[in-house]
Amino acid sequence: QFKKDIPELVRDLLMEKATDRIIKEAKERVSRYLNRWLEGGDPKQEALKQYSVNITFDETSLTLYIYITVRFLRTIEQIKIPIIVK
């Protein structure tokens, strides 16, 4: 889902000048999008434990790189109930 949605969030920044303001705007948009998936939000959408966003602009290729590191919430795969009888 992320790979599909995030390019749409920043598509209108194409052909803008690579100012600090534009780079900050891209980071804010991506962070705002990812916040809705964070633990503690809507229980139906919770998927992330934490995330970080780093954005760099490559002067040579004129490319804006958006690096996202995510830590997903884990699922419960086992429940063990030890019962001790005395």
Short mmCIF file of all heavy atoms in Angstrom, two decimals, residues 17-80:
data_model
loop_
_atom_site.label_atom_id
_atom_site.label_comp_id
_atom_site.label_asym_id
_atom_site.label_seq_id
_atom_site.Cartn_x
_atom_site.Cartn_y
_atom_site.Cartn_z
N LYS A 17 11.56 23.69 -7.87
CA LYS A 17 12.96 23.89 -7.50
C LYS A 17 13.23 23.15 -6.20
O LYS A 17 12.40 23.16 -5.29
CB LYS A 17 13.26 25.37 -7.36
CG LYS A 17 13.18 26.07 -8.68
CD LYS A 17 13.59 27.50 -8.58
CE LYS A 17 13.59 28.03 -9.99
NZ LYS A 17 13.39 29.40 -10.13
N ALA A 18 14.39 22.54 -6.10
CA ALA A 18 14.73 21.71 -4.93
C ALA A 18 15.20 22.58 -3.77
O ALA A 18 16.35 22.51 -3.33
CB ALA A 18 15.78 20.68 -5.31
N THR A 19 14.30 23.38 -3.25
CA THR A 19 14.63 24.22 -2.11
C THR A 19 14.41 23.43 -0.82
O THR A 19 13.75 22.39 -0.81
CB THR A 19 13.74 25.47 -2.08
OG1 THR A 19 12.38 25.06 -1.92
CG2 THR A 19 13.88 26.28 -3.37
N ASP A 20 14.96 23.96 0.26
CA ASP A 20 14.75 23.32 1.56
C ASP A 20 13.25 23.26 1.89
O ASP A 20 12.78 22.30 2.49
CB ASP A 20 15.48 24.08 2.66
CG ASP A 20 16.99 23.88 2.58
OD1 ASP A 20 17.44 22.89 1.95
OD2 ASP A 20 17.72 24.70 3.16
N ARG A 21 12.52 24.26 1.48
CA ARG A 21 11.09 24.31 1.76
C ARG A 21 10.36 23.16 1.06
O ARG A 21 9.49 22.50 1.64
CB ARG A 21 10.50 25.65 1.29
CG ARG A 21 9.01 25.80 1.58
CD ARG A 21 8.46 27.11 1.02
NE ARG A 21 8.57 27.23 -0.42
CZ ARG A 21 7.74 26.64 -1.28
NH1 ARG A 21 6.77 25.87 -0.87
NH2 ARG A 21 7.89 26.82 -2.58
N ILE A 22 10.70 22.88 -0.19
CA ILE A 22 10.06 21.80 -0.94
C ILE A 22 10.43 20.44 -0.34
O ILE A 22 9.58 19.56 -0.20
CB ILE A 22 10.46 21.86 -2.43
CG1 ILE A 22 9.84 23.11 -3.08
CG2 ILE A 22 10.05 20.61 -3.18
CD1 ILE A 22 8.32 23.09 -3.13
N ILE A 23 11.68 20.27 0.03
CA ILE A 23 12.12 19.01 0.64
C ILE A 23 11.41 18.80 1.98
O ILE A 23 10.94 17.70 2.29
CB ILE A 23 13.65 18.97 0.77
CG1 ILE A 23 14.27 18.92 -0.64
CG2 ILE A 23 14.11 17.79 1.61
CD1 ILE A 23 15.74 19.12 -0.71
N LYS A 24 11.28 19.86 2.74
CA LYS A 24 10.55 19.78 4.02
C LYS A 24 9.08 19.46 3.79
O LYS A 24 8.48 18.66 4.52
CB LYS A 24 10.69 21.11 4.77
CG LYS A 24 10.03 21.11 6.12
CD LYS A 24 10.21 22.45 6.81
CE LYS A 24 9.43 22.46 8.12
NZ LYS A 24 9.40 23.77 8.73
N GLU A 25 8.50 20.04 2.77
CA GLU A 25 7.10 19.77 2.42
C GLU A 25 6.90 18.29 2.09
O GLU A 25 5.93 17.66 2.52
CB GLU A 25 6.67 20.64 1.24
CG GLU A 25 5.30 20.35 0.69
CD GLU A 25 4.16 20.76 1.62
OE1 GLU A 25 4.38 21.63 2.48
OE2 GLU A 25 3.07 20.20 1.48
N ALA A 26 7.82 17.71 1.31
CA ALA A 26 7.73 16.29 0.96
C ALA A 26 7.80 15.43 2.23
O ALA A 26 7.02 14.49 2.39
CB ALA A 26 8.85 15.92 0.00
N LYS A 27 8.71 15.76 3.12
CA LYS A 27 8.85 14.99 4.36
C LYS A 27 7.59 15.09 5.22
O LYS A 27 7.14 14.10 5.79
CB LYS A 27 10.07 15.48 5.14
CG LYS A 27 10.37 14.64 6.35
CD LYS A 27 11.68 15.00 6.99
CE LYS A 27 11.99 14.05 8.13
NZ LYS A 27 13.32 14.24 8.66
N GLU A 28 7.02 16.28 5.31
CA GLU A 28 5.80 16.46 6.09
C GLU A 28 4.64 15.66 5.52
O GLU A 28 3.86 15.06 6.26
CB GLU A 28 5.43 17.93 6.18
CG GLU A 28 6.33 18.72 7.09
CD GLU A 28 6.06 20.22 7.07
OE1 GLU A 28 5.16 20.68 6.31
OE2 GLU A 28 6.75 20.94 7.80
N ARG A 29 4.51 15.64 4.21
CA ARG A 29 3.43 14.88 3.57
C ARG A 29 3.56 13.39 3.85
O ARG A 29 2.59 12.72 4.17
CB ARG A 29 3.42 15.11 2.07
CG ARG A 29 2.98 16.48 1.66
CD ARG A 29 2.98 16.60 0.16
NE ARG A 29 2.77 17.96 -0.28
CZ ARG A 29 2.62 18.31 -1.54
NH1 ARG A 29 2.68 17.39 -2.49
NH2 ARG A 29 2.43 19.57 -1.86
N VAL A 30 4.77 12.87 3.69
CA VAL A 30 5.00 11.45 3.92
C VAL A 30 4.77 11.11 5.39
O VAL A 30 4.12 10.12 5.71
CB VAL A 30 6.41 11.03 3.46
CG1 VAL A 30 6.72 9.61 3.85
CG2 VAL A 30 6.56 11.21 1.95
N SER A 31 5.25 11.95 6.29
CA SER A 31 5.06 11.71 7.72
C SER A 31 3.59 11.76 8.10
O SER A 31 3.12 10.93 8.88
CB SER A 31 5.84 12.74 8.54
OG SER A 31 7.22 12.53 8.41
N ARG A 32 2.87 12.71 7.55
CA ARG A 32 1.43 12.81 7.83
C ARG A 32 0.70 11.54 7.37
O ARG A 32 -0.18 11.03 8.07
CB ARG A 32 0.87 14.06 7.14
CG ARG A 32 -0.41 14.57 7.71
CD ARG A 32 -0.83 15.93 7.17
NE ARG A 32 -0.33 16.30 5.87
CZ ARG A 32 0.48 17.34 5.66
NH1 ARG A 32 0.89 18.10 6.63
NH2 ARG A 32 0.89 17.62 4.44
N TYR A 33 1.09 11.04 6.22
CA TYR A 33 0.49 9.81 5.69
C TYR A 33 0.81 8.62 6.61
O TYR A 33 -0.07 7.84 6.96
CB TYR A 33 1.00 9.53 4.28
CG TYR A 33 0.60 8.18 3.75
CD1 TYR A 33 -0.67 7.95 3.26
CD2 TYR A 33 1.50 7.11 3.78
CE1 TYR A 33 -1.05 6.70 2.79
CE2 TYR A 33 1.14 5.87 3.31
CZ TYR A 33 -0.13 5.67 2.82
OH TYR A 33 -0.50 4.43 2.36
N LEU A 34 2.08 8.48 7.00
CA LEU A 34 2.48 7.34 7.82
C LEU A 34 1.92 7.41 9.24
O LEU A 34 1.70 6.36 9.86
CB LEU A 34 4.01 7.23 7.85
CG LEU A 34 4.67 6.84 6.53
CD1 LEU A 34 6.18 6.92 6.64
CD2 LEU A 34 4.23 5.45 6.10
N ASN A 35 1.66 8.60 9.74
CA ASN A 35 1.12 8.75 11.10
C ASN A 35 -0.21 8.03 11.26
O ASN A 35 -0.51 7.54 12.34
CB ASN A 35 0.95 10.22 11.47
CG ASN A 35 2.22 10.81 12.02
OD1 ASN A 35 3.09 10.12 12.51
ND2 ASN A 35 2.33 12.12 11.92
N ARG A 36 -0.99 7.97 10.22
CA ARG A 36 -2.30 7.32 10.35
C ARG A 36 -2.18 5.81 10.53
O ARG A 36 -3.12 5.16 10.95
CB ARG A 36 -3.21 7.67 9.18
CG ARG A 36 -2.86 6.98 7.90
CD ARG A 36 -3.81 7.39 6.81
NE ARG A 36 -3.67 6.49 5.68
CZ ARG A 36 -4.37 6.56 4.61
NH1 ARG A 36 -5.29 7.48 4.48
NH2 ARG A 36 -4.18 5.71 3.63
N TRP A 37 -1.02 5.24 10.21
CA TRP A 37 -0.79 3.81 10.36
C TRP A 37 -0.11 3.47 11.68
O TRP A 37 0.11 2.30 11.98
CB TRP A 37 0.08 3.29 9.20
CG TRP A 37 -0.53 3.51 7.87
CD1 TRP A 37 -0.27 4.54 7.01
CD2 TRP A 37 -1.52 2.71 7.23
NE1 TRP A 37 -1.04 4.43 5.88
CE2 TRP A 37 -1.81 3.31 5.99
CE3 TRP A 37 -2.19 1.55 7.59
CZ2 TRP A 37 -2.74 2.78 5.11
CZ3 TRP A 37 -3.12 1.02 6.70
CH2 TRP A 37 -3.38 1.64 5.48
N LEU A 38 0.25 4.46 12.47
CA LEU A 38 0.98 4.23 13.71
C LEU A 38 0.11 3.60 14.79
O LEU A 38 -1.09 3.84 14.87
CB LEU A 38 1.53 5.55 14.26
CG LEU A 38 2.91 5.97 13.81
CD1 LEU A 38 3.28 7.29 14.45
CD2 LEU A 38 3.96 4.94 14.09
N GLU A 39 0.77 2.86 15.65
CA GLU A 39 0.12 2.28 16.82
C GLU A 39 -0.44 3.41 17.68
O GLU A 39 0.20 4.44 17.86
CB GLU A 39 1.16 1.49 17.61
CG GLU A 39 0.66 0.83 18.85
CD GLU A 39 1.75 0.06 19.57
OE1 GLU A 39 2.93 0.43 19.45
OE2 GLU A 39 1.40 -0.89 20.24
N GLY A 40 -1.64 3.23 18.18
CA GLY A 40 -2.27 4.25 19.00
C GLY A 40 -3.28 5.08 18.24
O GLY A 40 -3.99 5.88 18.81
N GLY A 41 -3.36 4.88 16.95
CA GLY A 41 -4.34 5.59 16.12
C GLY A 41 -5.61 4.75 15.99
O GLY A 41 -6.04 4.09 16.92
N ASP A 42 -6.17 4.78 14.82
CA ASP A 42 -7.37 3.98 14.53
C ASP A 42 -7.00 2.50 14.58
O ASP A 42 -6.14 2.04 13.82
CB ASP A 42 -7.89 4.35 13.13
CG ASP A 42 -9.14 3.59 12.73
OD1 ASP A 42 -9.59 2.72 13.51
OD2 ASP A 42 -9.66 3.86 11.65
N PRO A 43 -7.63 1.72 15.48
CA PRO A 43 -7.27 0.30 15.61
C PRO A 43 -7.38 -0.50 14.31
O PRO A 43 -6.65 -1.46 14.11
CB PRO A 43 -8.27 -0.23 16.64
CG PRO A 43 -8.72 0.97 17.39
CD PRO A 43 -8.65 2.13 16.43
N LYS A 44 -8.25 -0.08 13.40
CA LYS A 44 -8.40 -0.80 12.13
C LYS A 44 -7.24 -0.54 11.19
O LYS A 44 -7.01 -1.29 10.25
CB LYS A 44 -9.72 -0.40 11.46
CG LYS A 44 -10.93 -0.88 12.22
CD LYS A 44 -12.20 -0.47 11.54
CE LYS A 44 -13.40 -0.91 12.35
NZ LYS A 44 -14.65 -0.48 11.76
N GLN A 45 -6.51 0.57 11.40
CA GLN A 45 -5.41 0.92 10.49
C GLN A 45 -4.03 0.75 11.13
O GLN A 45 -3.04 0.94 10.46
CB GLN A 45 -5.56 2.37 10.02
CG GLN A 45 -6.70 2.57 9.06
CD GLN A 45 -6.71 3.97 8.47
OE1 GLN A 45 -6.42 4.94 9.16
NE2 GLN A 45 -7.05 4.07 7.22
N GLU A 46 -3.96 0.41 12.41
CA GLU A 46 -2.67 0.26 13.06
C GLU A 46 -1.83 -0.80 12.35
O GLU A 46 -2.28 -1.93 12.17
CB GLU A 46 -2.84 -0.16 14.52
CG GLU A 46 -3.33 0.93 15.42
CD GLU A 46 -3.48 0.44 16.86
OE1 GLU A 46 -3.56 -0.77 17.09
OE2 GLU A 46 -3.53 1.30 17.74
N ALA A 47 -0.65 -0.43 11.91
CA ALA A 47 0.23 -1.39 11.24
C ALA A 47 1.69 -1.14 11.59
O ALA A 47 2.52 -2.03 11.44
CB ALA A 47 0.05 -1.30 9.73
N LEU A 48 2.02 0.07 12.06
CA LEU A 48 3.41 0.42 12.30
C LEU A 48 3.69 0.66 13.78
O LEU A 48 2.91 1.31 14.47
CB LEU A 48 3.78 1.69 11.54
CG LEU A 48 3.64 1.68 10.03
CD1 LEU A 48 3.97 3.04 9.46
CD2 LEU A 48 4.51 0.61 9.42
N LYS A 49 4.82 0.16 14.22
CA LYS A 49 5.31 0.44 15.58
C LYS A 49 6.03 1.79 15.56
O LYS A 49 5.84 2.61 16.45
CB LYS A 49 6.25 -0.68 16.02
CG LYS A 49 6.70 -0.60 17.42
CD LYS A 49 5.66 -1.19 18.32
CE LYS A 49 6.18 -1.31 19.73
NZ LYS A 49 5.10 -1.51 20.67
N GLN A 50 6.85 2.00 14.55
CA GLN A 50 7.56 3.27 14.38
C GLN A 50 8.03 3.40 12.94
O GLN A 50 8.05 2.43 12.19
CB GLN A 50 8.74 3.38 15.34
CG GLN A 50 9.85 2.38 15.09
CD GLN A 50 10.91 2.42 16.17
OE1 GLN A 50 10.62 2.64 17.33
NE2 GLN A 50 12.14 2.19 15.77
N TYR A 51 8.42 4.62 12.58
CA TYR A 51 8.96 4.85 11.24
C TYR A 51 9.91 6.05 11.28
O TYR A 51 9.90 6.84 12.21
CB TYR A 51 7.84 5.12 10.22
CG TYR A 51 7.16 6.45 10.40
CD1 TYR A 51 7.67 7.58 9.78
CD2 TYR A 51 6.03 6.59 11.18
CE1 TYR A 51 7.06 8.81 9.95
CE2 TYR A 51 5.42 7.81 11.36
CZ TYR A 51 5.95 8.92 10.74
OH TYR A 51 5.36 10.14 10.91
N SER A 52 10.73 6.16 10.25
CA SER A 52 11.55 7.35 10.07
C SER A 52 11.59 7.66 8.57
O SER A 52 11.53 6.76 7.73
CB SER A 52 12.96 7.17 10.63
OG SER A 52 13.66 6.21 9.89
N VAL A 53 11.66 8.95 8.27
CA VAL A 53 11.69 9.41 6.88
C VAL A 53 12.93 10.28 6.70
O VAL A 53 13.18 11.19 7.49
CB VAL A 53 10.43 10.24 6.55
CG1 VAL A 53 10.50 10.75 5.12
CG2 VAL A 53 9.17 9.43 6.78
N ASN A 54 13.70 9.97 5.67
CA ASN A 54 14.87 10.77 5.33
C ASN A 54 14.78 11.11 3.85
O ASN A 54 14.59 10.22 3.02
CB ASN A 54 16.15 10.00 5.65
CG ASN A 54 17.39 10.85 5.45
OD1 ASN A 54 17.34 12.06 5.56
ND2 ASN A 54 18.49 10.20 5.15
N ILE A 55 14.92 12.38 3.53
CA ILE A 55 14.80 12.80 2.14
C ILE A 55 16.08 13.50 1.72
O ILE A 55 16.59 14.37 2.43
CB ILE A 55 13.59 13.74 1.95
CG1 ILE A 55 12.31 12.98 2.31
CG2 ILE A 55 13.53 14.27 0.53
CD1 ILE A 55 11.05 13.75 2.13
N THR A 56 16.59 13.10 0.57
CA THR A 56 17.79 13.74 0.02
C THR A 56 17.54 14.08 -1.45
O THR A 56 16.75 13.44 -2.12
CB THR A 56 19.03 12.83 0.11
OG1 THR A 56 18.79 11.63 -0.61
CG2 THR A 56 19.36 12.48 1.56
N PHE A 57 18.25 15.10 -1.91
CA PHE A 57 18.17 15.50 -3.31
C PHE A 57 19.53 15.28 -3.94
O PHE A 57 20.55 15.78 -3.45
CB PHE A 57 17.75 16.96 -3.44
CG PHE A 57 17.68 17.42 -4.86
CD1 PHE A 57 16.70 16.95 -5.70
CD2 PHE A 57 18.62 18.32 -5.35
CE1 PHE A 57 16.64 17.37 -7.02
CE2 PHE A 57 18.56 18.75 -6.66
CZ PHE A 57 17.57 18.27 -7.50
N ASP A 58 19.56 14.51 -5.02
CA ASP A 58 20.81 14.25 -5.75
C ASP A 58 20.97 15.31 -6.82
O ASP A 58 20.18 15.36 -7.77
CB ASP A 58 20.75 12.85 -6.35
CG ASP A 58 22.04 12.47 -7.07
OD1 ASP A 58 22.88 13.35 -7.35
OD2 ASP A 58 22.22 11.27 -7.33
N GLU A 59 21.97 16.14 -6.67
CA GLU A 59 22.23 17.24 -7.60
C GLU A 59 22.61 16.75 -9.00
O GLU A 59 22.34 17.43 -9.99
CB GLU A 59 23.35 18.14 -7.06
CG GLU A 59 23.03 18.84 -5.77
CD GLU A 59 22.17 20.08 -5.97
OE1 GLU A 59 22.04 20.56 -7.11
OE2 GLU A 59 21.62 20.55 -4.96
N THR A 60 23.23 15.59 -9.09
CA THR A 60 23.69 15.08 -10.38
C THR A 60 22.53 14.55 -11.22
O THR A 60 22.37 14.92 -12.38
CB THR A 60 24.73 13.96 -10.18
OG1 THR A 60 25.77 14.46 -9.34
CG2 THR A 60 25.31 13.50 -11.50
N SER A 61 21.71 13.70 -10.60
CA SER A 61 20.61 13.09 -11.36
C SER A 61 19.31 13.88 -11.23
O SER A 61 18.32 13.52 -11.86
CB SER A 61 20.37 11.65 -10.87
OG SER A 61 19.93 11.66 -9.53
N LEU A 62 19.33 14.94 -10.40
CA LEU A 62 18.14 15.77 -10.16
C LEU A 62 16.97 14.93 -9.66
O LEU A 62 15.83 15.08 -10.10
CB LEU A 62 17.76 16.56 -11.41
CG LEU A 62 18.85 17.45 -11.99
CD1 LEU A 62 18.38 18.12 -13.26
CD2 LEU A 62 19.32 18.47 -10.98
N THR A 63 17.28 14.02 -8.74
CA THR A 63 16.30 13.09 -8.21
C THR A 63 16.10 13.31 -6.73
O THR A 63 17.06 13.45 -5.98
CB THR A 63 16.76 11.63 -8.45
OG1 THR A 63 16.98 11.46 -9.86
CG2 THR A 63 15.75 10.63 -7.96
N LEU A 64 14.85 13.30 -6.31
CA LEU A 64 14.51 13.39 -4.90
C LEU A 64 14.33 11.95 -4.39
O LEU A 64 13.49 11.21 -4.90
CB LEU A 64 13.21 14.18 -4.72
CG LEU A 64 12.82 14.53 -3.29
CD1 LEU A 64 13.80 15.55 -2.71
CD2 LEU A 64 11.41 15.08 -3.25
N TYR A 65 15.16 11.58 -3.44
CA TYR A 65 15.08 10.24 -2.85
C TYR A 65 14.37 10.32 -1.50
O TYR A 65 14.74 11.12 -0.65
CB TYR A 65 16.47 9.64 -2.65
CG TYR A 65 17.14 9.25 -3.94
CD1 TYR A 65 18.05 10.10 -4.56
CD2 TYR A 65 16.86 8.03 -4.55
CE1 TYR A 65 18.66 9.76 -5.75
CE2 TYR A 65 17.47 7.67 -5.74
CZ TYR A 65 18.37 8.54 -6.33
OH TYR A 65 18.97 8.19 -7.51
N ILE A 66 13.36 9.48 -1.33
CA ILE A 66 12.63 9.41 -0.07
C ILE A 66 12.90 8.03 0.52
O ILE A 66 12.47 7.01 -0.01
CB ILE A 66 11.12 9.61 -0.30
CG1 ILE A 66 10.86 10.97 -0.93
CG2 ILE A 66 10.36 9.45 1.01
CD1 ILE A 66 9.41 11.21 -1.32
N TYR A 67 13.65 8.03 1.62
CA TYR A 67 13.99 6.79 2.30
C TYR A 67 13.07 6.64 3.52
O TYR A 67 13.00 7.53 4.36
CB TYR A 67 15.45 6.81 2.78
CG TYR A 67 16.44 6.94 1.66
CD1 TYR A 67 16.99 8.18 1.34
CD2 TYR A 67 16.83 5.83 0.91
CE1 TYR A 67 17.90 8.31 0.30
CE2 TYR A 67 17.73 5.95 -0.13
CZ TYR A 67 18.28 7.20 -0.42
OH TYR A 67 19.18 7.32 -1.44
N ILE A 68 12.37 5.53 3.57
CA ILE A 68 11.45 5.27 4.67
C ILE A 68 11.87 3.97 5.35
O ILE A 68 12.02 2.94 4.70
CB ILE A 68 10.01 5.14 4.16
CG1 ILE A 68 9.59 6.43 3.45
CG2 ILE A 68 9.05 4.82 5.31
CD1 ILE A 68 8.28 6.33 2.72
N THR A 69 12.06 4.05 6.65
CA THR A 69 12.34 2.87 7.45
C THR A 69 11.14 2.64 8.36
O THR A 69 10.73 3.55 9.06
CB THR A 69 13.61 3.08 8.31
OG1 THR A 69 14.69 3.44 7.45
CG2 THR A 69 13.97 1.83 9.08
N VAL A 70 10.58 1.45 8.30
CA VAL A 70 9.40 1.15 9.11
C VAL A 70 9.65 -0.07 9.98
O VAL A 70 10.41 -0.96 9.61
CB VAL A 70 8.13 0.92 8.25
CG1 VAL A 70 7.74 2.16 7.50
CG2 VAL A 70 8.30 -0.24 7.32
N ARG A 71 9.00 -0.06 11.12
CA ARG A 71 8.99 -1.23 11.99
C ARG A 71 7.52 -1.58 12.18
O ARG A 71 6.77 -0.84 12.80
CB ARG A 71 9.64 -0.91 13.33
CG ARG A 71 9.71 -2.10 14.24
CD ARG A 71 10.55 -1.80 15.47
NE ARG A 71 10.41 -2.89 16.40
CZ ARG A 71 10.48 -2.75 17.69
NH1 ARG A 71 10.69 -1.55 18.22
NH2 ARG A 71 10.35 -3.78 18.48
N PHE A 72 7.12 -2.70 11.59
CA PHE A 72 5.73 -3.12 11.62
C PHE A 72 5.37 -3.72 12.98
O PHE A 72 6.22 -4.30 13.65
CB PHE A 72 5.44 -4.15 10.52
CG PHE A 72 5.42 -3.56 9.15
CD1 PHE A 72 6.53 -3.62 8.33
CD2 PHE A 72 4.29 -2.93 8.68
CE1 PHE A 72 6.52 -3.06 7.06
CE2 PHE A 72 4.26 -2.37 7.41
CZ PHE A 72 5.38 -2.44 6.61
N LEU A 73 4.11 -3.58 13.33
CA LEU A 73 3.60 -4.27 14.51
C LEU A 73 3.63 -5.76 14.24
O LEU A 73 3.34 -6.21 13.13
CB LEU A 73 2.15 -3.85 14.80
CG LEU A 73 1.97 -2.45 15.35
CD1 LEU A 73 0.49 -2.09 15.37
CD2 LEU A 73 2.53 -2.34 16.75
N ARG A 74 3.98 -6.52 15.22
CA ARG A 74 4.01 -7.98 15.07
C ARG A 74 2.63 -8.56 15.34
O ARG A 74 1.83 -7.98 16.06
CB ARG A 74 5.02 -8.59 16.06
CG ARG A 74 6.42 -8.11 15.85
CD ARG A 74 6.94 -8.66 14.56
NE ARG A 74 8.37 -8.38 14.44
CZ ARG A 74 9.04 -8.66 13.38
NH1 ARG A 74 8.46 -9.18 12.34
NH2 ARG A 74 10.31 -8.40 13.32
N THR A 75 2.38 -9.70 14.76
CA THR A 75 1.12 -10.39 15.00
C THR A 75 1.32 -11.47 16.05
O THR A 75 2.43 -12.00 16.21
CB THR A 75 0.57 -11.04 13.72
OG1 THR A 75 1.54 -11.96 13.24
CG2 THR A 75 0.27 -10.01 12.66
N ILE A 76 0.27 -11.80 16.75
CA ILE A 76 0.33 -12.90 17.72
C ILE A 76 0.19 -14.19 16.94
O ILE A 76 -0.82 -14.42 16.27
CB ILE A 76 -0.80 -12.76 18.76
CG1 ILE A 76 -0.65 -11.45 19.52
CG2 ILE A 76 -0.80 -13.96 19.71
CD1 ILE A 76 -1.84 -11.13 20.40
N GLU A 77 1.21 -15.02 17.00
CA GLU A 77 1.20 -16.27 16.27
C GLU A 77 0.99 -17.49 17.16
O GLU A 77 0.67 -18.57 16.66
CB GLU A 77 2.49 -16.41 15.46
CG GLU A 77 2.59 -15.33 14.40
CD GLU A 77 3.84 -15.46 13.54
OE1 GLU A 77 4.56 -16.45 13.68
OE2 GLU A 77 4.07 -14.55 12.73
N GLN A 78 1.20 -17.32 18.45
CA GLN A 78 1.00 -18.42 19.37
C GLN A 78 0.48 -17.87 20.69
O GLN A 78 0.82 -16.76 21.08
CB GLN A 78 2.31 -19.15 19.68
CG GLN A 78 2.88 -19.93 18.55
CD GLN A 78 4.12 -20.68 19.01
OE1 GLN A 78 4.24 -21.07 20.17
NE2 GLN A 78 5.05 -20.89 18.09
N ILE A 79 -0.32 -18.68 21.37
CA ILE A 79 -0.72 -18.39 22.74
C ILE A 79 -0.46 -19.65 23.53
O ILE A 79 -0.97 -20.72 23.18
CB ILE A 79 -2.21 -17.99 22.84
CG1 ILE A 79 -2.43 -16.68 22.06
CG2 ILE A 79 -2.62 -17.84 24.30
CD1 ILE A 79 -3.88 -16.24 22.05
N LYS A 80 0.36 -19.55 24.55
CA LYS A 80 0.68 -20.70 25.39
C LYS A 80 0.13 -20.43 26.78
O LYS A 80 0.32 -19.36 27.33
CB LYS A 80 2.18 -20.93 25.43
CG LYS A 80 2.76 -21.34 24.09
CD LYS A 80 4.21 -21.68 24.19
CE LYS A 80 4.72 -22.12 22.82
NZ LYS A 80 6.10 -22.57 22.88
#
